[in-house]
Amino acid sequence: MSQETIILQQLSIGYRQKNQTKLVADSLSASICQGELTCLLGPNGVGKSTLLRTLSAFQPRLQGDILVLGRPIDSYTPSELSKVVGVVLTEKPDVKSMTVHELVGLGRSPYTGFWGMLSDDDYRLVDESIHQVGIDSLSRRLIETLSDGERQKVMIAKALAQQTPIIFLDEPTAFLDFPSKVEVMQLLRRLARELGKTIFMSTHDLELALQVADTIWLMEQGRLSIGTPRQLALDGTLGRFVERKGIVFDRHSLSIRVVGE
């Protein structure tokens, strides 16, 4: 039985603005497990990024509770939470004249104190993180010389160097070509399984997620469906989400086919 590291209890998410509240989704009850790659799917505007920001404590929840490793998320100080949850955002890092090794080293900032000086142990962990992601050959390269796929791997290595048991990623394959998408998704699944990380990511790469993810969260208006790709295919959930005129979902092969008139 997988250990539940994140538990949502009747969670409502959205925004508080001046005199009104914009509700994005409510009554979300679910859990995310250690050692699994969980992919969050759903149409544009349904609230995937809002959910990720709320789970990362970048914005407050409206109602309900989020338990992180058995503790309410509000019980963590920002310093404590930075040692529990790592976040990789969609935006490309806006850094110049910094090497891969230096950027990955920033993942150690929760532990290095005010001056940010890395110890020998910190450098060892940075090297280990770079090796785990398979980018040893990039270590001395400048960030601005990297491809999008290489840069995304660097950001994952930075999250690993942070040594958090939980990693959230917002559209980590958004800017990548197809081979790089596959490579990053396979890497995340391997890290979840080999290192026992809880990895939760949003994505629009539906077919790839169905092939690689251990668990799927399908977020729709007023509904959150959770299960393995096979479970959600066989119970008709994925077909309901995918199929339109000219689009057919094969629930046995977990593939999508476009048909002509």
Side-chain angles (χ1 to χ4, degrees), residues 11-220:
L11 179 67
S12 295
I13 59 173
Y15 306 88
R16 289 192 173 93
Q17 305 165 328
K18 291 188 178 178
N19 299 320
Q20 62 178 359
T21 298
K22 176 177 171 52
L23 180 67
V24 173
D26 66 348
S27 302
L28 302 177
S29 293
S31 60
I32 310 171
C33 292
Q34 178 186 19
E36 292 187 0
L37 172 61
T38 302
C39 287
L40 174 64
L41 303 172
N44 285 330
V46 78
K48 298 188 300 297
S49 292
T50 303
L51 176 58
L52 269 171
R53 284 195 296 270
T54 305
L55 294 181
S56 306
F58 291 167
Q59 71 182 63
R61 67 193 186 282
L62 298 181
Q63 284 186 328
D65 293 304
I66 302 168
L67 301 182
V68 179
L69 300 181
R71 285 175 54 183
I73 195 168
D74 292 346
S75 73
Y76 287 89
T77 66
S79 175
E80 288 174 331
L81 199 61
S82 70
K83 297 174 183 177
V84 174
V85 176
V87 182
V88 179
L89 300 174
T90 310
E91 293 80 12
K92 299 177 184 179
D94 185 20
V95 294
K96 301 288 185 185
S97 303
M98 181 179 283
T99 67
V100 166
H101 196 274
E102 289 168 339
L103 181 56
V104 174
L106 294 180
R108 298 301 300 155
S109 59
Y111 308 92
T112 55
F114 178 78
W115 297 107
M117 300 294 290
L118 271 61
S119 67
D120 289 344
D121 276 346
D122 290 321
Y123 281 118
R124 178 181 55 78
L125 287 167
V126 169
D127 290 338
E128 280 182 9
S129 301
I130 287 171
H131 182 69
Q132 284 165 341
V133 178
I135 54 172
D136 304 73
S137 62
L138 303 179
S139 185
R140 301 302 167 188
R141 288 265 301 274
L142 293 174
I143 295 299
E144 58 263 35
T145 69
L146 302 179
S147 69
D148 288 339
E150 290 169 337
R151 194 181 295 113
Q152 195 61 274
K153 289 178 185 176
V154 172
M155 299 311 293
I156 293 169
K158 176 176 173 286
L160 287 180
Q162 199 173 331
Q163 282 206 305
T164 59
I166 298 162
I167 300 175
F168 295 139
L169 304 99
D170 188 13
E171 295 282 351
T173 58
F175 302 112
L176 308 185
D177 58 31
F178 186 73
S180 297
K181 288 177 188 285
V182 174
E183 204 173 354
V184 166
M185 293 281 277
Q186 289 177 328
L187 168 64
L188 292 171
R189 183 174 66 176
R190 177 174 63 80
L191 294 173
R193 292 179 178 178
E194 292 182 2
L195 303 181
K197 301 282 187 184
T198 301
I199 299 184
F200 183 75
M201 60 169 281
S202 65
T203 182
H204 283 293
D205 293 314
L206 174 61
E207 280 191 281
L208 188 52
L210 296 183
Q211 294 179 64
V212 177
D214 296 297
T215 302
I216 296 290
W217 286 27
L218 179 57
M219 193 173 179
E220 300 171 278

